[in-house]
Amino acid sequence: MSVRVATGRVLRSWVWTVPVVALVVLALVWERELAWPLYIVVGVLLVGVVLAAVHHAEVVAHRVGEPFGSLVLAVAVTVIEVALIVALMLSKPESTDSLARDTVFAAVMITVNGIVGISLLVGGFKYSVPRFSSEGAGSELAILATLTTLTLVVPTFTVSEAGPRFSATQLVFVAVVALVLYAAFVFLQTGRHREFFLPVDKAGAPLADHAANAHGTERPSTRAALGSLGLLVVALVGVVGLAKSESPGIEGIVTAVGIPQSFVGVVVALVVLMPEGLAAVKAALRNRLQT
C-alpha cells in the first residue's frame, strides 16, 4: 500500500512539474539553432509534455463527464494541430504550402486505422466483445467522411485555382459549411442524442452518468480540475513551442534519409494525436470503447 501511495505521489508530482519545465526549456531554445544532442533532449521532453497533457485533460474530462469529456481532448488536439501547422508554415512558407493538407490527411488515416484499430484490439483482448453504440459511431464516421471529402477530395476537382486548391471565396464557403456541420454534430452529441455517445453495457444500453464516468477513482474536485485545466493550457503551449523547435531536426532527418517532405505532416499528426491516442487506449482498457 505504501509503495502504491508513493508511486501515485511521484506521478502527480511529475505531471505537474513537466509542463513548467517545458516552458523554461522553450524560453532557452526558442528561435535558436540546436546541436543534435539538444534535439534529442527536446524530443524526449516533448513526449513528456504530451503525456502530462493527457493526464490533465483526463482529469478535466473526468470532472465534466461524458460526452463533454471527450470534447476536451478534441479541443486540445485541435489547438495543438492548428497552432503547430501555422507555426511551421510561417517559419518556412516556401516549403510548407501543402503541410496543412498532408497533416490533416495523415491525422484522418492515423485516427481511423491506428487509434480505432488499437482500441478495438486491446478492448477485444481484455473483454472479448467490447460494446459500443452503433448510432454514435455511425454518426461520427458520417461527419468525418463528409468533412474529409469536402476538404481533401473536392479541391482536386475545382478549376478556379491551379492544383488542388480552393479560391478565397470557395475557402470561406467551405469553412462556414464545415463549422455548421460540426456545430450541429456537437449539438446532437451533447444535447438531444447525448445517449448515443455514452459508453454502453453488455446489452448495448447507455450507462448512467456515474457509471459512464467511472475511472476507478473518485471524481476530482473543482479545485483539482481547475488546476489541471491551467496546466493543460501550459502543456499545450509547451507542446506547440517544443515541436516548432524540434521541426528543423525532423526536416533534417527527412532530407538526409530522402523521405518526401509530406512525411513531416505524418510526424506532426503523430505528435498531436498522441494525447487522444493514449486516452483512447486507456478508455478501451476500462471497457469504455465508445469514449
Side-chain angles (χ1 to χ4, degrees):
M1 179 64 70
S2 60
V3 174
R4 184 178 300 177
V5 172
T7 303
R9 289 177 178 174
V10 171
L11 177 62
R12 287 193 293 270
S13 174
W14 178 77
V15 296
W16 284 69
T17 303
V18 168
V20 179
V21 173
L23 286 188
V24 175
V25 173
L26 179 60
L28 295 175
V29 303
W30 184 255
E31 296 294 344
R32 295 186 180 182
E33 186 174 348
L34 305 179
W36 280 107
L38 288 179
Y39 277 124
I40 297 175
V41 172
V42 172
V44 172
L45 183 58
L46 176 60
V47 174
V49 179
V50 170
L51 295 176
V54 173
H55 170 81
H56 293 299
E58 285 193 322
V59 171
V60 177
H62 190 186
R63 176 63 188 178
V64 300
E66 293 296 341
F68 299 97
S70 298
L71 292 175
V72 173
L73 274 177
V75 171
V77 168
T78 302
V79 170
I80 294 175
E81 186 168 15
V82 173
L84 185 53
I85 290 173
V86 171
L88 291 175
M89 292 184 73
L90 290 177
S91 64
K92 285 190 175 183
E94 69 283 352
S95 61
T96 56
D97 58 335
S98 64
L99 178 62
R101 184 171 60 250
D102 295 337
T103 302
V104 172
F105 180 76
V108 172
M109 292 297 101
I110 292 170
T111 300
V112 175
N113 296 289
I115 295 178
V116 173
I118 293 173
S119 298
L120 289 169
L121 183 65
V122 299
F125 269 122
K126 188 168 184 180
Y127 299 102
S128 183
V129 184
R131 305 291 180 177
F132 61 91
S133 168
S134 58
E135 293 90 348
S139 60
E140 288 170 336
L141 288 175
I143 192 69
L144 176 63
T146 302
L147 292 177
T148 302
T149 302
L150 184 65
T151 55
L152 297 180
V153 178
V154 173
T156 306
F157 299 94
T158 58
V159 296
S160 300
E161 297 286 337
R165 300 171 185 273
F166 285 126
S167 66
T169 303
Q170 292 169 338
L171 190 60
V172 171
F173 173 77
V174 169
V176 172
V177 170
L179 286 173
V180 170
L181 285 173
Y182 188 68
F185 172 73
V186 172
F187 173 75
L188 294 176
Q189 183 182 12
T190 58
R192 178 173 296 181
H193 295 296
R194 182 170 177 263
E195 69 278 4
F196 290 168
F197 303 92
L198 292 175
V200 297
D201 58 21
K202 293 182 179 180
L207 292 172
D209 284 354
H210 67 278
N213 296 329
H215 283 60
T217 58
E218 294 183 0
R219 192 180 184 189
S221 64
T222 301
R223 180 178 179 182
L226 290 175
S228 287
L229 179 61
L231 281 173
L232 174 60
V233 174
V234 173
L236 295 181
V237 173
V239 168
V240 173
L242 291 177
K244 183 179 183 300
S245 299
E246 187 76 5
S247 62
I250 297 173
E251 292 177 350
I253 294 175
V254 169
T255 302
V257 178
I259 302 174
Q261 283 295 322
S262 57
F263 184 73
V264 177
V266 177
V267 175
V268 173
L270 285 171
V271 171
V272 300
L273 287 174
M274 193 183 299
E276 274 201 332
L278 293 174
V281 173
K282 287 182 178 180
L285 289 173
R286 293 194 301 267
N287 204 17
R288 300 293 185 266
L289 190 61
Q290 185 65 45
T291 302

